[in-house]
Amino acid sequence: MSQQRVLVVDDEANTRRVLEIMLQKMGLATRVASNGQEALALAQRESFDLILTDLRMPGMDGLALLDALRAQKIETPVILLTAYGTVESAVHAMKSGAYDYILRPFDVEAVERTITRALTTERTRRENLFLREEIEKGWGEFVGRSAAMQQVYDLIHQVAPSNTNVLITGETGTGKELAARAIHRASPRKKALFVPINCAAIPDDILESELFGHTRGSFTGASHDRVGKFEMAHGGTIFLDEITEMPLPMQAKLLRVLQEREIERLGSNRRVPVDIRVVVATNRNPQQAVHDGTLREDLFYRINVFTVEMPPVRARIEDIPLLVQHFLAHHGTKLGYEHLHISEQALQSLQRYAWPGNVRELENVLERAAVLSRGQLIDTMHLPQELVAPVAPVASPARPSVAERSALPESLSLTQAIEQLERAFIVRALTQTDGNKAKAARVLDLSERTLWYKVKKYGIA
Ligand SMILES: Nc1ncnc2c1ncn2[C@@H]1O[C@H](COP(=O)(O)OP(=O)(O)OP(=O)(O)O)[C@@H](O)[C@H]1O
Ligand SMILES: [Mg+2]
């Protein structure tokens, strides 16, 4: 990621110098201005991620600068530097849109923390602006622009206009039902009904009458005529979800419907023509299901004319920021939090996780985080424990959140912390390989010589 840029504004050369050095140590690029006008001119010409300005300056003071920036639609966060005596005007400044204020004399730690937090928020704000535009380029209800999803959209487009049966496969929560609805909506049948049936949720003895309907008195309890789902879907699309959960005798009856395009209600021998498009889904491997005997082979061949495979989330992690933005906007609005943001650290954790429950699991995690955050910046502490990889704060670039900083041991230097981690990795690899250095070196992707050296360096027995 590119270096972030900070503008320092102060009429005292000394303070400017001190802040400049501090910011450079934090890995930030800096520019300085000695008064409000100069700062305003710079901010119009160049783009900054943060502006640190003295509150009291001759001419245009910090507050006037803030107003002037906002009047010009420059939304860069502004932090005010202020002496103890002027806290009141600092508070006033916060109300007029300053990000925060820092009291003089500076506490270096506190200054660094405030700056880090402001920069993280700013980065997220910019990403969100970008993402909002991107989402509008999504496709129907689908969010995702990865190559894997583009391929899904293409397949849906290709198959939708025809009457071809479609088999949708994919792990749980990957959007199979969404895809089935998309096929229906993009088809000439869109004015008629989309009728979904979850074969796993309906008891076996009711499924047949659900699908085919029945006439009054055809079995005990059948007190009225009843239209089945096949008839309901006439002219439209029927979606049979979890097809491998359908009992085999029912699968045989379904096959007949697919071949003859006619049904009989239970208790009636009148044949009714049905004009339906059939889409089925399963989260199993269909060939394996045939092999295991949970899917009839003849039915499989009938429905396997055109297959759409939904990719798991971990195969399209580049879509995660978009999905996050989408669900935060959705749940934020429901909870009355207008602009929910997520920290970079938290986003990284989400991109590292394997998501066995796919989009549904991601949505649940974000809904929970939105509630826990109470409208504040969503951070790793709002995510379930198993999502937050223990090595994250060390392995990822600088700018940890405030929460993570305090979770790190204060007394260690960076070098010491890295060495501790390195030692722990080496010990683990050696334990896993029963002390075999050649194998451990391969696990760690080190040369044997390097491993040998490090074992000696850390005094590992
Ligand atoms: N690409 C996507 N963009 C936005 N939302 C999605 C996407 N994929 C899935 N979802 C949402 O995730 C949830 C699960 O999707 P859906 O019910 O279609 O999955 P499924 O594959 O049918 O899952 P299961 O196998 O458990 O039935 C739904 O709320 C759906 O709206
Ligand atoms: Mg489903």
Side-chain angles (χ1 to χ4, degrees):
M1 245 172 246
S2 66
Q3 202 180 20
Q4 286 182 297
R5 309 183 73 240
V6 181
L7 173 59
V8 174
V9 194
D10 202 305
D11 54 326
E12 284 171 46
N14 238 343
T15 317
R16 287 199 300 269
R17 193 73 204 118
V18 169
L19 287 169
E20 234 192 318
I21 292 170
M22 198 165 107
L23 293 165
Q24 279 162 2
K25 274 199 186 144
M26 292 174 72
L28 301 165
T30 58
R31 297 280 269 150
V32 294
S34 55
N35 60 58
Q37 276 88 2
E38 204 185 306
L40 186 59
L42 259 175
Q44 284 166 332
R45 278 203 312 273
E46 300 176 22
S47 128
F48 293 97
D49 298 291
L50 178 65
I51 298 176
L52 275 183
T53 177
D54 193 10
L55 178 61
R56 273 213 220 149
M57 292 180 291
M60 181 187 269
D61 68 4
L63 272 181
L65 173 60
L66 178 60
D67 285 343
L69 288 166
R70 297 300 182 251
Q72 310 241 0
K73 299 270 175 269
I74 300 173
E75 304 292 340
T76 312
V78 172
I79 294 179
L80 290 155
L81 308 167
T82 174
Y84 276 108
T86 52
V87 170
E88 234 166 76
S89 37
V91 171
H92 172 71
M94 296 288 292
K95 285 191 185 135
S96 47
Y99 180 84
D100 207 341
Y101 61 90
I102 293 172
L103 291 179
R104 294 166 188 278
F106 302 140
D107 163 2
V108 176
E109 274 279 295
V111 175
E112 278 188 20
R113 263 202 304 278
T114 310
I115 291 172
T116 303
R117 196 158 45 81
L119 287 173
T120 309
T121 313
E122 173 61 3
R123 177 160 278 169
T124 314
R125 188 185 70 85
R126 288 195 185 190
E127 280 169 1
N128 285 349
L129 276 181
F130 168 73
L131 290 177
R132 209 160 293 139
E133 290 164 12
E134 291 292 287
I135 277 175
E136 275 151 28
K137 300 181 204 145
W139 196 79
E141 285 173 50
F142 282 110
V143 176
R145 310 191 63 223
S146 57
M149 284 308 288
Q150 299 287 353
Q151 202 183 345
V152 167
Y153 307 154
D154 287 348
L155 289 173
I156 291 175
H157 266 304
Q158 281 170 33
V159 79
S162 68
N163 265 332
T164 313
N165 301 330
V166 183
L167 169 62
I168 304 176
T169 61
E171 294 176 16
T172 181
T174 47
K176 295 186 293 296
E177 180 155 353
L178 218 53
R181 288 179 190 275
I183 291 171
H184 174 70
R185 267 203 321 266
S187 79
R189 301 172 168 267
K190 65 175 180 239
K191 293 237 166 65
L193 288 182
F194 174 85
V195 180
I197 298 168
N198 185 337
C199 303
I202 299 173
D204 291 2
D205 52 340
I206 302 180
L207 187 59
E208 184 168 11
S209 97
E210 277 284 321
L211 288 171
F212 291 86
H214 59 245
T215 53
R216 194 159 69 97
S218 58
F219 56 89
T220 327
S223 49
H224 305 279
D225 282 5
R226 178 179 180 150
V227 177
K229 300 278 163 118
F230 283 127
E231 277 183 82
M232 253 184 229
H234 183 68
T237 305
I238 191 162
F239 175 53
L240 299 166
D241 201 358
E242 309 217 27
I243 189 72
T244 62
E245 304 304 306
M246 183 185 270
L248 294 173
M250 271 306 299
Q251 290 186 20
K253 289 181 182 161
L254 170 62
L255 182 63
R256 268 188 59 195
V257 176
L258 292 181
Q259 284 163 346
E260 294 164 15
R261 305 278 159 180
E262 278 185 344
I263 60 128
E264 272 169 33
R265 289 188 191 177
L266 298 185
S268 151
N269 44 24
R270 194 166 63 86
R271 300 178 75 77
V272 184
V274 285
D275 167 27
I276 48 173
R277 171 9 124 49
V278 179
V279 178
V280 310
T282 177
N283 55 25
R284 307 276 168 87
N285 174 332
Q287 267 110 348
Q288 187 62 41
V290 170
H291 183 260
D292 296 343
T294 54
L295 180 62
R296 285 181 63 112
E297 191 168 18
D298 46 10
L299 179 61
F300 170 64
Y301 287 120
R302 256 295 145 173
I303 59 181
N304 192 30
V305 183
F306 194 99
T307 304
V308 178
E309 196 180 329
M310 299 303 295
V313 168
R314 66 185 164 280
R316 53 184 189 104
I317 55 174
E318 65 269 43
D319 284 338
I320 289 179
L322 284 170
L323 287 161
V324 168
Q325 174 61 23
H326 172 74
F327 290 127
L328 286 187
H330 177 73
H331 291 290
T333 308
K334 272 204 325 207
L335 294 164
Y337 306 142
E338 270 314 306
H339 302 289
L340 273 184
H341 294 322
I342 187 160
S343 76
E344 205 173 298
Q345 287 288 324
L347 191 59
Q348 282 179 14
S349 297
L350 297 180
Q351 287 185 291
R352 270 194 298 260
Y353 182 62
W355 299 109
N358 294 291
V359 184
R360 184 182 294 112
E361 184 183 11
L362 178 64
E363 174 169 12
N364 291 341
V365 163
L366 290 167
E367 181 175 9
R368 176 175 172 276
V371 171
L372 292 179
S373 76
R374 298 164 184 260
Q376 303 296 307
L377 184 71
I378 291 175
D379 209 340
T380 43
M381 64 189 168
H382 302 119
L383 303 178
Q385 201 66 48
E386 68 270 20
L387 260 78
V388 187
V391 294
V394 181
S396 53
R399 259 177 258 111
S401 70
V402 177
E404 280 157 352
R405 281 174 68 115
S406 50
L408 293 173
E410 288 297 333
S411 55
L412 287 183
S413 73
L414 179 60
T415 318
Q416 285 170 328
I418 291 170
E419 284 179 355
Q420 273 197 6
L421 190 69
E422 192 172 55
R423 188 180 195 284
F425 267 84
I426 293 172
V427 168
R428 189 178 67 184
L430 284 167
T431 313
Q432 281 168 353
T433 57
D434 293 324
N436 182 327
K437 289 208 185 68
K439 279 191 194 161
R442 272 201 300 280
V443 169
L444 294 164
D445 200 16
L446 290 176
S447 73
E448 251 183 273
R449 246 176 65 110
T450 309
L451 178 62
W452 186 255
Y453 161 78
K454 287 182 190 290
V455 164
K456 262 178 48 188
K457 173 179 164 192
Y458 296 131
I460 298 169

